[in-house]
Amino acid sequence: MTTVAELADDPHAALAAVRPVGWLDALGGWVVSGRELAVRVMRDPETFTVDDPRFSTAQVVGPSMLSLDGTAHVAHRAPFEKAFGLAETRARFTEPVAQTVASLVEEIAADGAADLRRTLAGPLSVAVVAYSLGLPPASASTVLGWYEAISDSVTGVAAGRQVTAAGAEAFARLHAHVAGGIETSDSLVAEAAGAGLGVDEVVANAAVLMFGGIETTEGMITNCLWHLLTHRDQLELVLADPTLLANALEESLRLEPAAAVVDRYATRDVELAGCPVRRGDLVTVSLAGAGRDPEVFPDPDRYDVRRANARRHLAWASGPHICLGMHLARLEALTALRAALALPGLRLDPSSPPPRGLVFRKPAAVKVRWDVEQAPPPQV
């Protein structure tokens, strides 16, 4: 019998065994791991809803666009949508992201070694998401501390445990921080409040955007670095042809989406690929499983930066809950990856761990080394 620990460590064999859908006792529900069926479930919120008291994120941060459907979902999401459209993202964020990445890489360039999760991916994602929402200043380490406590609590709830005291305390601190941002007249959170959302509703939505943005960006960068640095042949292809980097990122998202699953709850009795799903059943859509569906992706476990259909992954989900910040996350990830791969002789430290996690999958660290170029001797 598959355990929660095994799913967190390496879920892919178990997901293949139940594809396109099957019951997993470890999760107490159905798991959808076929791509076609995953799209069907995510695009049918009337039958498969997020609006259920068991929804893990809502238990930690309260109701938000992530945990509501129908008109309530639209009311919570609409005040934030325009700011994250493709054209708006490129116009507003290209230069600040480039400047932030350049500053972060400059700080470590002379060291020859670093954990790129802690020194690049994490600080970048915190800085950009805070900037995007118009939040008051806070150190990256402070926000990452809140984020880790809250995401650990969400993961625990998804595994059947209670909201942790640390998660509750972190959210209380985040609540105070976001509420302070509402007082800034030109901030996105202030605009959301002006659009009719209450303070608690603004905070809940800012929290899912903030931590979704951190998780998505940090996970994208760290997972792609891990894939490239553990597949040297693919890295050499990208270094020889930098235009492959965008597809290398999509292929990494296919194999290891940063958010590996999304939960839904059946609102009526329904059949999925011959399986009798009952009203109230948990239906977990495995975005990781859908990305390795062999009917869509030949040789699905292979990392191939030239895979023609890599962008058919479902790392951003689908339907009304498709990721709001996907354009910004892509911009951040590609900018950071280009800068990291420019470090001469970049290589993975053997002690660096692989991606893992039940809900959020990424390496705990990306420990790397590179060659520090020696300054030329002074002219005499």
Side-chain angles (χ1 to χ4, degrees):
M1 180 184 295
T2 304
T3 66
V4 169
E6 289 169 343
L7 290 172
D9 186 43
D10 186 358
H12 302 299
L15 295 173
V18 299
R19 188 175 288 116
V21 60
W23 181 272
L24 281 182
D25 286 333
L27 299 181
W30 300 97
V31 174
V32 176
S33 56
R35 187 188 182 282
E36 180 181 354
L37 208 59
V39 171
R40 174 185 160 189
V41 169
M42 290 188 288
R43 292 183 180 177
D44 184 7
E46 291 186 2
T47 306
F48 305 99
T49 185
V50 296
D51 194 356
D52 186 280
R54 293 167 289 176
F55 195 82
S56 57
T57 304
Q59 292 187 49
V60 180
V61 306
S64 70
M65 69 178 84
L66 189 66
S67 58
L68 295 168
D69 276 318
T71 56
H73 170 254
V74 173
H76 279 245
R77 182 175 170 120
F80 297 92
E81 277 194 303
K82 182 181 177 182
F84 295 102
L86 178 58
E88 182 77 9
T89 293
R90 289 175 174 170
R92 183 181 174 199
F93 292 105
T94 297
E95 187 60 27
V97 168
Q99 291 176 352
T100 303
V101 168
S103 176
L104 291 169
V105 172
E106 184 180 7
E107 289 180 11
I108 63 171
D111 296 341
D115 172 4
L116 291 183
R117 178 186 172 193
R118 294 292 181 182
T119 58
L120 178 60
L124 170 65
S125 60
V126 170
V128 174
V129 79
Y131 172 76
S132 71
L133 295 173
L135 298 181
S139 71
S141 60
T142 296
V143 177
L144 284 171
W146 297 339
Y147 152 72
E148 288 176 355
I150 292 173
S151 63
D152 285 349
S153 190
V154 170
T155 298
V157 170
R161 299 187 291 273
Q162 297 295 312
V163 176
T164 65
E169 180 182 355
F171 181 67
R173 293 179 181 276
L174 176 66
H175 191 292
H177 187 69
V178 175
I182 294 174
E183 299 172 3
T184 305
S185 60
D186 60 350
S187 69
L188 184 55
V189 290
E191 291 177 16
L197 295 182
V199 173
D200 288 348
E201 293 171 328
V202 172
V203 171
N205 285 291
V208 298
L209 288 173
M210 193 170 188
F211 294 110
I214 293 171
E215 184 60 52
T216 299
T217 305
E218 187 183 64
M220 286 173 69
I221 296 168
T222 55
N223 286 343
C224 192
L225 283 169
W226 187 85
H227 279 122
L228 285 169
L229 296 175
T230 55
H231 297 82
R232 298 296 304 188
D233 60 327
Q234 300 301 300
L235 175 61
E236 293 302 325
L237 290 174
V238 171
L239 294 177
D241 180 3
T243 64
L244 287 173
L245 181 60
N247 205 60
L249 175 61
E250 302 300 328
E251 177 72 341
S252 177
L253 285 165
R254 179 187 72 82
L255 282 172
E256 290 287 6
V261 299
V262 292
D263 287 346
R264 301 290 186 266
Y265 300 88
T267 61
R268 61 181 177 87
D269 292 352
V270 65
E271 188 174 283
L272 283 178
C275 293
V277 178
R278 301 304 179 201
R279 178 181 178 182
D281 280 356
L282 168 66
V283 180
T284 293
V285 178
S286 173
L287 306 178
R292 300 194 187 212
D293 187 338
E295 292 190 6
V296 181
F297 306 104
D299 196 4
D301 297 324
R302 182 167 63 93
Y303 182 62
D304 179 5
V305 299
R306 292 186 291 196
R307 186 180 295 274
N309 68 346
R311 287 179 70 98
R312 293 195 66 197
H313 64 74
L314 296 177
W316 310 113
S318 187
H321 290 277
I322 193 167
C323 178
L324 188 66
M326 60 183 174
H327 303 307
L328 179 55
R330 274 195 176 106
L331 172 63
E332 291 177 75
L334 287 171
T335 306
L337 288 166
R338 290 189 190 101
L341 295 181
L343 293 168
L346 186 70
R347 53 200 180 273
L348 197 66
D349 189 295
S351 66
S352 199
R356 70 175 312 277
L358 179 65
V359 178
F360 308 119
R361 290 187 62 78
K362 61 178 177 291
V366 182
K367 301 176 184 178
V368 297
R369 297 182 180 278
W370 61 91
D371 302 326
V372 178
E373 296 179 339
Q374 299 297 318
Q379 297 296 318
V380 178

